[in-house]
Amino acid sequence: MATITRFLETFEPSHYDVYIDVNRGTKEISGKSTITGVAHTKPVYIHQKNMEIESVQANGNDVPFTADNKTESIKIEVPEMGETTLAITYKAPLTDSMMGIYPSYYEVNGEKKELIGTQFETTFARQAFPCVDEPAAKAKFDLAIKFDEKPGETILANMPEVREENGVHYFDTTVRMSTYLIAFAFGDLQSKKTKTKSGVEVGVFSTKAHEPKELDFALDIAKRSIEFYEDFYQTPYPLPHSWQLALPDFSAGAMENWGLVTYREAYLLLDPDNTALDTKQLVATVISHELAHQWFGDLVTMQWWDDLWLNESFANMMEYVAIDAIEPDWNVWELFQTSDVPAALQRDATDGVQSVHVNVENPAEIDALFDSAIVYAKGARMLVMMRALVGDDALRKGLKNYFAAHQYGNAKGADLWNAVGDAAGMDVASIMNTWLEQPGYPLVTAKVVDGKLTLSQQQFFIGEGKDAGRSWKIPLNSNYDAAPKIFKDKEIVLGDYEQLRKKNGKPFRVNVGNNSHFIVKYDKTLLMDILDNLDTVDSISQMGILQDLRLLAEARQMSYAAVVPLLKRFANNHSTVVNAAIYRIAYNLRKFVTPNTDEEKALKALYGQLSTEQYERLDWMPKDGESIDDQLTRPTILNAALYAENPSAQAKAHKLFEENKNDLASLSADIRIFVLRNEVKNYGSQELITDLLEQYRQSTDPSYKSDLSVAITSTKDSKMISLLIEKFEDADTIKPQDLRAWFRGVLDNSAGEQAAWDWIRNDWDWLEKTVGGDMEFTTYITVVTSVFRTPERLAEFKAFFDPKINTPGLTREITMDKSIIETRVNLIQDEKAEINAAIKKVTE
Ligand SMILES: [Zn+2]
């Protein structure tokens, strides 16, 4: 079928009547999909996957058909082209893959229960009902669902239910929409509801394993996010309701199904009385991300998956725009600076990385497109750069026009650039395309040459990189007027440095605000000028300087040995972002030291030197009325103080454990993780670990569970490590969706590295069967890559993954990851001695 690229070219649907009967007992789905549309060819092709097709009719008459799982299709011999109604009856299995229609498993008071939900992005609607499963194949849907219903169960879908007849639930006709956004769910649910100012019904739903108060935070954020977007987009929310549903089993973070958004429980539910601020920020941004999609992605959808970034990059920016507007005190853009920005800069510096916009056809490769550091983080950074360039007025005007022109339809990247460009009176497309279509980003070198201040740009690589002569149109954001607004040449001379310095009265800087996707290498004169005047530099820019030094050191453009003595200049800064940047560098130094050596002792002394004063200032317990910066910095400092083996920090952690050992969950969530981990590491008996593991199994509080998994996996006891690895495949203890965090914890523990590595190699087939075919799968390889640092491990990595390199969806990841480990191995070999000497010197 090589000639057919898109099924939409053969059949263009306009309306579906979908009837689905789900039997949880027999794990079977049966149904009928009646599709009205236009046949453009003879035969036509409709998507299906793993179905048993019983009959196909065209305009009421049986017609010949062939179902094929390899091409995920039904070839239907329609008698003629033109207006046609297809009716397809089928059976399909209900599987545990977290894709298509699938069950979530949970317990309430020891009783095992199931909740049925759906996940159709990217190409899984075709497992639920025959359809033209492509984003451009928009149609209206009438959904009718029957199931082995018990009293008190609730069913939800994209639209409100209009009637129930003979146990069949009928839902209102949808607006014109894509198949991957269809959703429904049923089970024993609890809910809380409210209404927006404009009358949209907003609800939060969960299983009854949770306390009702855990729904409150999400309800408030969802309501205010929708109100914010209606105003910002100047376009009403298009549906009667917006349901948010937490599913116990969920592969990704959340999914923007139109009107029925689904979430991991950890990203929707939280205990309002004991949850750390950073967890609240994370949950709030996930909710506002999904709700941004209700317009951007759902109302206007990418034409094809190559423009996935158009959905994700945009929602990833808007999640911060929205939360910054509704919770201004949180300074949530700082979270963007400490999470998305470093992720994008690190990943995008490796040769072979994908560009934000990528061509794609094969379904297996569509899932591999979800490279979060690129499509989400870099894409968002690209749009933040655009927003800074055009301003909010033009952005909002452009968006309003964009929604009006493409609503209930599809769009491409160029449509967005044109809409915003027209509103701004600027050629946005020509600037943005240099970022969208090219992988990587520039290093801007600023130096004084023969007395002249000059700038040049060149692609930045960590590790081997083939310079393809790329250049970018860079919004410079300099604090000197002599620098151009957009730097597009390879090199420019700004003028006489002494004169410019005198005229401006402050050190020369570019990328002020760190909103543009590039890094800067200042020569010694310029860098020392900035460092000697740090008190005049805002915290985001101080963070930017540390971030750029770290990346330059990773890329061997300077040495960590030169960075180490600079750290203490920043160490007593009270800003969250500066501290995050300091300890990211300090963390990177750990790879140069061998555990239990004098080198490690010296590094711990450096951590002590950097953290002691702040530790004494902040101490363990949150204080009433303290600043947001202090709240968010404390965990970073406690982590550092414990690594430094600060005796007071260790003793207080142990005391807090003892005082709360009968109710550990009630320990303040801001510090709980450190108390638990300190206990396991320094006082961890086998009884303690088995007890914590049982608490993990029983707890329904996602943030406590996450703390427990970090603590438990830090054990040094080899018997306990073997026990944990046994639990990896026991879904009653560790759900497959949470396994990666456990695997990372054990692998990143020097006492567990070998066992975890052996496990993933031995049980790769199990892993592939359990979480393969899923956009999260490749991230297991990324986890391994993030830990390995010796030539032996590199060789083992190659021996294991090289034979898998042609697996669809894995090729890029394996290729990049080999290069990432190799770069790290070389860096350590070449610079270890010099860096450890530098650490020793500053701590003597
Ligand atoms: Zn998204």
Side-chain angles (χ1 to χ4, degrees):
M1 226 174 46
T3 50
I4 308 284
T5 52
R6 307 283 159 83
F7 289 8
L8 180 57
E9 291 165 16
T10 76
F11 189 82
E12 194 179 336
S14 55
H15 181 269
Y16 289 74
D17 264 309
V18 178
Y19 168 78
I20 299 177
D21 182 351
V22 181
N23 189 318
R24 290 171 288 193
T26 61
K27 293 208 152 198
E28 258 187 352
I29 301 161
S30 58
K32 182 175 177 184
S33 184
T34 307
I35 319 171
T36 305
V38 178
H40 289 300
T41 56
K42 280 183 8 178
V44 299
Y45 290 89
I46 302 292
H47 284 106
Q48 69 81 29
K49 193 177 175 190
N50 300 333
M51 283 181 173
E52 185 192 321
I53 305 296
E54 293 174 328
S55 70
V56 179
Q57 292 190 331
N59 296 328
N61 301 312
D62 283 326
V63 290
F65 66 91
T66 327
D68 176 34
N69 274 332
K70 205 165 153 247
T71 52
E72 305 185 352
S73 68
I74 318 170
K75 177 182 172 189
I76 301 172
E77 307 291 345
V78 289
E80 57 210 343
M81 292 191 278
E83 189 74 30
T84 305
T85 297
L86 300 170
I88 306 167
T89 57
Y90 63 97
K91 281 196 164 55
L94 183 66
T95 59
D96 288 334
S97 59
M98 296 191 273
M99 299 290 141
I101 304 171
Y102 71 92
S104 280
Y105 301 99
Y106 65 101
E107 278 181 24
V108 181
N109 303 325
E111 189 194 344
K112 292 200 171 181
K113 302 196 118 194
E114 271 181 42
L115 168 63
I116 300 292
T118 57
Q119 169 66 35
F120 291 168
E121 192 182 24
T122 48
T123 54
F124 307 104
R126 65 190 66 171
Q127 288 179 204
F129 60 95
C131 54
V132 181
D133 197 12
E134 293 167 2
K138 286 197 172 184
K140 293 183 176 181
F141 294 81
D142 276 300
L143 219 56
I145 298 171
K146 186 172 186 291
F147 59 106
D148 43 356
E149 192 166 349
K150 292 177 208 137
E153 290 191 310
T154 306
I155 180 160
L156 306 171
N158 304 87
M159 296 293 286
E161 184 172 333
V162 284
R163 66 179 198 280
E164 189 195 334
E165 258 172 49
N166 303 321
V168 183
H169 298 264
Y170 293 87
F171 294 89
D172 211 351
T173 311
T174 68
V175 292
R176 207 167 169 271
M177 66 185 287
S178 305
T179 47
Y180 80 93
L181 295 167
I182 297 285
F184 60 86
F186 52 82
D188 187 14
L189 297 170
Q190 64 175 328
S191 66
K192 288 202 179 175
K193 290 179 189 163
T194 182
K195 269 199 174 135
T196 64
K197 279 184 236 159
S198 63
V200 178
E201 261 213 281
V202 180
V204 176
F205 296 77
S206 82
T207 72
K208 292 175 183 166
H210 297 273
E211 286 186 56
K213 68 175 180 180
E214 292 177 49
L215 282 60
D216 294 343
F217 179 80
L219 187 67
D220 173 55
I221 295 289
K223 170 182 179 282
R224 290 192 292 140
S225 294
I226 292 172
E227 288 170 348
F228 169 78
Y229 289 129
E230 288 199 310
D231 174 55
F232 191 87
Y233 294 152
Q234 301 167 74
T235 306
Y237 177 81
L239 304 179
H241 69 220
S242 172
W243 298 155
Q244 331 298 316
L245 166 66
L247 289 173
D249 288 298
F250 200 86
S251 173
M255 175 62 211
E256 68 266 23
N257 313 303
W258 213 357
L260 176 55
V261 184
T262 48
Y263 299 80
R264 268 186 186 227
E265 292 185 328
Y267 292 146
L268 189 69
L269 309 175
L270 59 82
D271 177 355
D273 300 324
N274 188 21
T275 296
L277 179 58
D278 59 350
T279 308
K280 286 185 176 168
Q281 291 181 334
L282 180 65
V283 170
T285 53
V286 171
I287 295 169
S288 62
H289 175 109
E290 301 310 326
L291 294 175
H293 276 312
Q294 304 299 300
W295 289 261
F296 217 98
D298 296 4
L299 180 62
V300 180
T301 310
M302 71 226 148
Q303 184 73 24
W304 179 248
W305 296 105
D306 63 332
D307 273 326
L308 177 70
W309 70 271
L310 193 57
N311 278 8
E312 297 307 343
S313 308
F314 193 83
N316 208 38
M317 170 175 78
M318 287 310 298
E319 69 188 58
Y320 292 100
V321 175
I323 299 302
D324 191 44
I326 66 178
E327 291 288 349
D329 293 348
W330 285 358
N331 295 326
V332 77
W333 280 108
E334 295 195 345
L335 178 63
F336 183 73
Q337 292 286 356
T338 56
S339 57
D340 298 67
V341 171
L345 288 170
Q346 186 77 33
R347 179 101 173 152
D348 204 22
T350 306
D351 204 10
V353 70
Q354 71 182 49
S355 49
V356 174
H357 174 254
V358 198
N359 288 322
V360 66
E361 285 299 335
N362 184 341
E365 282 159 12
I366 295 173
D367 283 344
L369 282 185
F370 285 75
D371 182 332
S372 62
I374 300 301
V375 173
Y376 290 69
K378 178 185 176 181
R381 192 153 161 76
M382 201 175 79
L383 293 173
V384 165
M385 192 159 70
M386 175 191 80
R387 181 182 179 222
L389 206 59
V390 304
D392 261 0
D393 286 348
L395 177 64
R396 292 179 63 191
K397 191 169 155 212
L399 286 175
K400 187 179 179 219
N401 295 339
Y402 174 84
F403 289 129
H406 304 285
Q407 58 183 341
Y408 307 107
N410 299 78
K412 294 182 161 203
D415 297 320
L416 177 67
W417 302 145
N418 292 340
V420 176
D422 285 351
M426 192 189 287
D427 185 1
V428 171
S430 90
I431 298 169
M432 296 318 291
N433 282 335
T434 67
W435 301 94
L436 182 69
E437 304 291 348
Q438 302 187 107
Y441 60 91
L443 169 68
V444 170
T445 303
K447 56 183 171 188
V448 181
V449 185
D450 300 331
K452 306 271 190 233
L453 182 55
T454 65
L455 295 179
S456 59
Q457 62 161 303
Q458 191 170 25
Q459 186 170 359
F460 178 71
F461 292 108
I462 295 177
E464 285 289 306
K466 192 165 154 274
D467 198 322
R470 296 188 176 104
S471 64
W472 286 262
K473 293 186 179 173
I474 308 171
L476 267 184
N477 301 321
S478 174
N479 63 341
Y480 281 20
D481 288 342
K485 197 168 176 192
I486 303 289
F487 173 35
K488 52 185 190 297
D489 306 305
K490 274 287 183 192
E491 193 175 306
I492 42 168
V493 177
L494 300 186
D496 182 85
Y497 174 63
E498 289 302 334
Q499 280 177 13
L500 286 168
R501 177 68 178 86
K502 209 165 173 188
K503 184 178 153 220
N504 287 279
K506 52 195 177 235
F508 173 72
R509 291 193 291 128
V510 290
N511 209 6
V512 174
N514 199 31
N515 279 330
S516 289
H517 190 52
F518 70 94
I519 66 166
V520 199
K521 185 180 185 181
Y522 297 102
D523 74 3
K524 205 167 176 197
T525 312
L526 298 170
L527 180 63
M528 288 322 290
D529 192 21
I530 296 170
L531 293 175
D532 289 342
N533 293 281
L534 264 190
D535 52 339
T536 68
V537 176
D538 63 281
S539 29
I540 294 278
S541 298
Q542 290 195 37
M543 180 220 68
I545 291 160
L546 287 166
Q547 155 206 284
D548 293 1
L549 292 174
R550 172 175 57 80
L551 291 162
L552 291 167
E554 289 291 321
R556 317 279 292 263
Q557 300 228 22
M558 67 184 294
S559 172
Y560 275 116
V563 180
V564 166
L566 302 178
L567 293 177
K568 61 171 179 276
R569 290 177 183 245
F570 297 85
N572 288 321
N573 192 304
H574 293 187
S575 144
T576 312
V577 289
V578 174
N579 281 289
I582 295 170
Y583 289 100
R584 199 180 282 268
I585 292 174
Y587 183 83
N588 280 3
L589 297 175
R590 293 194 201 183
K591 62 177 169 257
F592 298 100
V593 306
T594 312
N596 311 313
T597 58
D598 285 348
E599 292 163 358
E600 191 184 45
K601 231 181 249 167
L603 181 60
K604 284 174 183 264
L606 174 64
Y607 268 75
Q609 200 179 65
L610 296 173
S611 65
T612 301
E613 202 174 313
Q614 298 254 39
Y615 168 73
E616 280 162 10
R617 182 176 76 83
L618 293 166
D619 207 344
W620 275 87
M621 295 314 285
K623 296 174 189 67
D624 280 345
E626 69 183 357
S627 70
I628 298 268
D629 267 321
D630 284 356
Q631 277 182 65
L632 291 174
T633 303
R634 179 176 291 103
T636 307
I637 298 299
L638 290 178
N639 197 25
L642 288 173
Y643 180 78
E645 297 176 9
N646 177 319
S648 153
Q650 286 181 328
K652 281 197 179 173
H654 184 48
K655 188 159 168 269
L656 282 164
F657 180 88
E658 288 292 326
E659 286 167 1
N660 293 278
K661 70 177 163 198
N662 295 323
D663 188 9
L664 292 168
S666 70
L667 266 165
S668 166
D670 294 280
I671 60 161
R672 188 172 53 202
I673 189 170
F674 306 111
V675 174
L676 295 174
R677 197 181 60 193
N678 181 65
E679 197 66 19
V680 168
K681 267 186 155 167
N682 299 322
Y683 311 91
S685 63
Q686 296 188 354
E687 291 70 36
L688 174 69
I689 292 174
T690 41
D691 175 44
L692 294 180
L693 202 55
E694 185 53 26
Q695 290 197 40
Y696 178 86
R697 222 183 65 74
Q698 289 187 4
S699 171
T700 56
D701 176 352
S703 103
Y704 183 46
K705 289 185 80 145
S706 162
D707 292 351
L708 284 167
S709 85
V710 170
I712 295 168
T713 55
S714 72
T715 176
K716 298 287 170 199
D717 183 329
S718 60
K719 215 169 133 195
M720 288 295 102
I721 284 167
S722 306
L723 173 79
L724 297 185
I725 292 200
E726 269 170 44
K727 298 287 180 199
F728 280 9
E729 293 172 35
D730 167 16
D732 283 340
T733 305
I734 302 173
K735 283 179 171 289
Q737 62 176 15
D738 300 322
L739 176 57
R740 193 185 50 204
W742 283 84
F743 171 65
R744 181 202 297 275
V746 178
L747 187 79
D748 198 21
N749 169 352
S750 57
E753 182 181 316
Q754 186 66 45
W757 176 224
D758 288 343
W759 170 78
I760 200 167
R761 284 183 294 176
N762 291 333
D763 288 13
W764 183 259
D765 290 344
W766 175 87
L767 187 69
E768 194 166 16
K769 200 170 93 242
T770 312
V771 297
D774 169 332
M775 48 192 102
E776 302 286 298
F777 181 48
T778 55
T779 57
Y780 278 84
I781 311 176
T782 324
V783 166
V784 173
T785 304
S786 70
V787 171
F788 281 4
R789 57 182 189 172
T790 65
E792 296 73 28
R793 289 286 190 233
L794 174 62
E796 290 169 9
F797 184 94
K798 285 181 178 168
F800 184 68
F801 285 112
D802 271 341
K804 298 178 174 45
I805 204 159
N806 292 321
T807 313
L810 297 190
T811 308
R812 187 194 296 279
E813 192 59 49
I814 294 173
T815 310
M816 281 179 67
D817 286 349
K818 282 196 295 187
S819 151
I820 290 169
I821 302 172
E822 192 158 15
T823 301
R824 187 180 305 130
V825 167
N826 292 338
L827 172 66
I828 293 169
Q829 272 178 349
D830 295 350
E831 297 197 13
K832 188 177 193 303
E834 188 196 351
I835 291 165
N836 281 309
I839 295 170
K840 193 155 175 262
K841 188 155 176 246
V842 297
T843 54
E844 269 168 0

